[in-house]
Amino acid sequence: MKPFFVTALQAAKMPRWLLLLMCALYVVPGLVGRDPWRFEDAAGFGVAWTMSAAPRGLADWLMPNVVGVPMVEEGPLPFWLGAIAVRALPFLAPDAVVRGVAMAWLALFFVCLWYATWLLARRPEAQPMDPFGASANPVDFGRAIADSALLLTLATFGLLARIHETTAEAAQVAWVGVFLLGCALTLERPRLGGALAGLAIGLTAATRGLPLAGALLLAALLLAARVGAFRLVARPMIAGLLPVALIVSAAWPLALSTAGEAGARHLAGWLAWNRSLVSGPTLDTVAYAVQNVPWFFWPAWPMAAWALWRWRERSLEPALAVPGISAAVLAIASVLSPRGTEAMLLPLVPAAAMLGALGLPTIRRGLVSLIDWFAVMTFTLIGAALWAYWIAFQTGWPPKMAFRAQQSVLGFLPSIDVFEVVAGAVVTLAWLALVAWRVSRQPRAMWRPVILSAGGMVLAWCLLMTLWLPAGNHRKTYRDVAQQAGLVVSPRHGCVATLGLDVAQRATFAYFGGLRLDDTRGDCEWLLVADRSNAPLDPAQASGRWRQVWRGQRPVDRQEQFRLFRRTAA
């Protein structure tokens, strides 16, 4: 590897207030001021809310479900955290509390990623050359690399939307951060670091299953076997890691095995789901990766690729080996998935960001300029488009833009919230100031190539979650239609059977409509049916005779409708 030189000016400390502000503007918007959104977000909330209510007692805590429908493809851990918080804060709306827990694990992820990168980058083998004693000191160099890793994480395209959901996939990213911190800490405090990595492995098993936990365990064992610095502490590291990983991983399955026949069935379903996670690779997996990896990991992947090439002769140094080996085994685990999903790519983001940050001190000026100008053009255009369509939506001019905006949120009446407009304007001005600072001053700090990408992503997200949040919430929530059904079926009318509802619909109709959904009984007075317009369901599939008393739908989805039936005398 060619030597490189980093001055104290290049390792200049990024203002803490700026870094913390960017993280806050990334974490909070999208997790406040909205309802549980359709699909995965509403389903994840439904599991936590069902646990907190626990109509079946301990069984609801041991066997994740959404109002009685088993969720064998989910570990219970993130929903335990949400349910405990709901129980502890009964004076707050349950959906807001669950999203607050999601904020907490996102903040935990950022903290773990920063400290893991800092611990590795300040090590002697990661330091730049210093022939004249003028190079940055190890602490400052490590801090600059850690700041860059965090900025790269904020800038990663594919992470943004999924990390703001109340799902197991979003929580899993935090446990990967804990694992990386445990591995980095092992080199200084082997037993404690090993125990922390083992804890992350156990938390992963209780969140996203055994294959991903096995991948992290394999990464830790490969570090202990192949990397010289880890071989020196391998014995205390493994002594701390294996017992903790085994105990935490086995706790929930053992509890399920003692929960009678229902627990045994749930455990069998969960194990079958774990086996299915490694039943690939398939053409679908490969095609999905080819189509989505380049944009999902932008701008981290070109910098990570450069770091792997630039450090190729020192690939077994801890600073490169920890994220590199972790990324490799997690990539193998994702390829073994039978179908391509964003969930299989999310655990790779922390390691990719760490690798990308390590490439920054030696990155070519041309690539820096390419990424910078791509960020300036892309996010300026996105910001301008979001403002232009919002103005058209509010004023009706230009007519074509106003029509397109209205079509995307049918049934929503434009309104202006002064706070949201002011917040959007402030973030936009901050973006313009950041661009002006970057262009006019040409800062030499190491983190300069990624601050525009991170700032642009924060800009786009804040505009979406301020100007467009009411309209987006209207588009993605079932609140109104669920409350309409709830007015027809008052709680005193007993249980409601269902037909065709997915778990997200089930969660939101039970939560917002107050419906007592129960498919285990055959004598419910009410039947709620979810139809697609091209394939309506026949209520005769449910035993009994039924009379339709209500029909409703969300204005933004004309293909989906809900019908409510009442049982009639035979």
Side-chain angles (χ1 to χ4, degrees):
M1 175 181 176
K2 294 181 180 179
F4 63 97
F5 183 76
V6 175
T7 65
L9 185 60
Q10 290 173 311
K13 179 180 180 180
M14 183 178 179
R16 295 296 94 180
W17 67 267
L18 178 59
L19 185 61
L20 292 174
L21 178 62
M22 292 180 69
C23 290
L25 291 175
Y26 186 95
V27 170
V28 177
L31 285 170
V32 297
R34 66 170 178 86
D35 297 330
W37 283 349
R38 61 196 301 239
F39 303 130
E40 288 87 353
D41 183 60
F45 163 72
V47 177
W49 180 61
T50 302
M51 282 183 178
S52 68
R56 299 185 301 160
L58 183 60
D60 284 320
W61 289 83
L62 286 178
M63 292 169 267
N65 68 93
V66 177
V67 197
V69 173
M71 297 287 288
V72 296
E73 298 183 357
E74 298 283 3
L77 178 63
F79 311 112
W80 282 343
L81 300 177
I84 291 170
V86 170
R87 286 283 189 93
L89 301 168
F91 49 88
L92 297 177
D95 60 307
V97 173
V98 173
R99 288 195 301 276
V101 173
M103 285 189 216
W105 67 51
L106 183 50
L108 173 67
F109 163 54
F110 286 163
V111 170
C112 290
L113 177 69
W114 193 94
Y115 276 101
T117 309
W118 179 68
L119 288 172
L120 293 171
R122 69 176 187 169
R123 290 182 58 81
E125 62 271 10
Q127 298 305 303
M129 64 178 294
D130 190 13
F132 307 110
S135 184
N137 66 64
V139 173
D140 289 344
F141 178 78
R143 184 175 54 210
I145 295 293
D147 289 348
S148 301
L150 192 50
L151 290 173
L152 268 175
T153 303
L154 299 183
T156 301
F157 279 25
L159 183 68
L160 182 65
R162 293 304 304 273
I163 204 70
H164 288 89
E165 295 178 342
T166 56
T167 62
E169 291 89 344
Q172 179 55 53
V173 179
W175 312 152
V176 174
V178 174
F179 173 80
L180 294 171
L181 176 59
C183 291
L185 186 60
T186 295
L187 297 172
E188 299 181 11
R189 303 184 65 180
R191 196 174 294 273
L192 177 61
L196 189 59
L199 175 64
I201 293 169
L203 298 179
T204 294
T207 300
R208 287 295 297 159
L210 298 175
L212 197 57
L216 294 181
L217 176 61
L218 177 60
L221 295 178
L222 286 174
L223 287 172
R226 298 288 299 165
V227 179
F230 281 93
R231 283 202 300 267
L232 296 175
V233 296
R235 182 167 295 182
M237 171 188 173
I238 299 301
L241 184 147
L242 286 180
V244 174
L246 180 61
I247 291 170
V248 178
S249 298
W252 175 61
L254 287 176
L256 268 182
S257 66
T258 63
E261 184 178 347
R265 283 197 305 270
H266 195 100
L267 179 60
W270 182 73
L271 291 173
W273 169 66
N274 277 273
R275 289 192 295 271
S276 73
L277 293 178
V278 289
S279 60
T282 63
L283 290 177
D284 179 75
T285 307
V286 176
Y288 182 88
V290 170
Q291 294 171 8
N292 291 279
V293 163
W295 70 263
F296 191 96
F297 291 104
W298 181 270
W301 74 261
M303 298 183 186
W306 171 253
L308 290 171
W309 172 255
R310 190 68 169 78
W311 289 72
R312 63 190 182 278
E313 297 173 3
R314 298 167 60 181
S315 60
L316 293 182
E317 299 290 358
L320 196 74
V322 170
I325 290 176
S326 298
V329 295
L330 289 172
I332 293 171
S334 69
V335 169
L336 293 177
S337 173
R339 60 189 181 90
T341 62
E342 291 181 3
M344 77 180 196
L345 301 178
L346 283 172
L348 286 155
V349 171
M354 291 176 69
L355 284 172
L358 286 168
L360 284 176
T362 61
I363 199 167
R364 296 182 183 276
R365 184 179 296 273
L367 183 56
V368 171
S369 299
L370 172 65
I371 293 173
D372 269 0
W373 285 112
F374 177 84
V376 170
M377 291 187 296
T378 300
F379 291 112
T380 301
L381 288 174
I382 290 174
L386 289 172
W387 273 108
Y389 272 98
W390 182 81
I391 293 171
F393 185 54
Q394 298 292 336
T395 64
W397 189 90
K400 288 186 178 180
M401 293 177 67
F403 175 76
R404 292 194 189 105
Q406 186 61 60
Q407 287 297 108
S408 66
V409 286
L410 288 172
F412 179 75
L413 297 177
S415 61
I416 295 179
D417 185 303
V418 175
F419 172 78
E420 292 170 350
V421 175
V422 171
V426 169
V427 172
T428 303
L429 292 174
W431 165 250
L432 296 176
L434 181 65
V435 172
W437 168 81
R438 174 68 179 92
V439 173
S440 63
R441 296 194 181 184
Q442 293 292 321
R444 302 175 68 180
M446 195 186 306
W447 37 267
R448 74 192 186 281
V450 289
I451 193 169
L452 282 179
S453 295
M457 189 65 74
V458 169
L459 165 76
W461 185 243
C462 285
L463 290 180
L464 280 171
M465 294 297 109
T466 52
L467 300 179
W468 287 98
L469 181 60
N473 194 56
H474 171 81
R475 180 178 175 81
K476 292 178 176 290
T477 183
Y478 284 98
R479 176 192 287 268
D480 291 342
V481 69
Q483 289 178 342
Q484 293 170 24
L487 292 175
V488 178
V489 184
S490 66
R492 66 177 182 274
H493 284 155
C495 66
V496 180
T498 66
L499 185 63
L501 270 70
D502 60 34
V503 288
Q505 294 165 343
R506 191 175 185 87
T508 49
F509 270 83
Y511 179 60
F512 289 122
L515 303 184
R516 294 165 53 193
L517 305 182
D518 191 341
D519 294 333
T520 62
R521 298 173 55 178
D523 61 346
C524 286
E525 184 180 357
W526 302 87
L527 174 67
L528 179 62
V529 179
D531 291 320
R532 302 303 293 180
S533 63
N534 58 349
L537 298 175
D538 186 355
Q541 295 179 43
S543 61
R545 298 172 62 87
W546 304 95
R547 174 175 58 87
Q548 181 173 316
V549 295
W550 172 83
R551 183 174 68 180
Q553 63 185 153
R554 298 185 311 127
V556 297
D557 191 345
R558 298 297 187 183
Q559 302 300 313
E560 176 188 73
Q561 68 175 5
F562 301 92
R563 293 180 292 158
L564 188 64
F565 295 85
R566 191 168 191 175
R567 189 183 296 274
T568 62

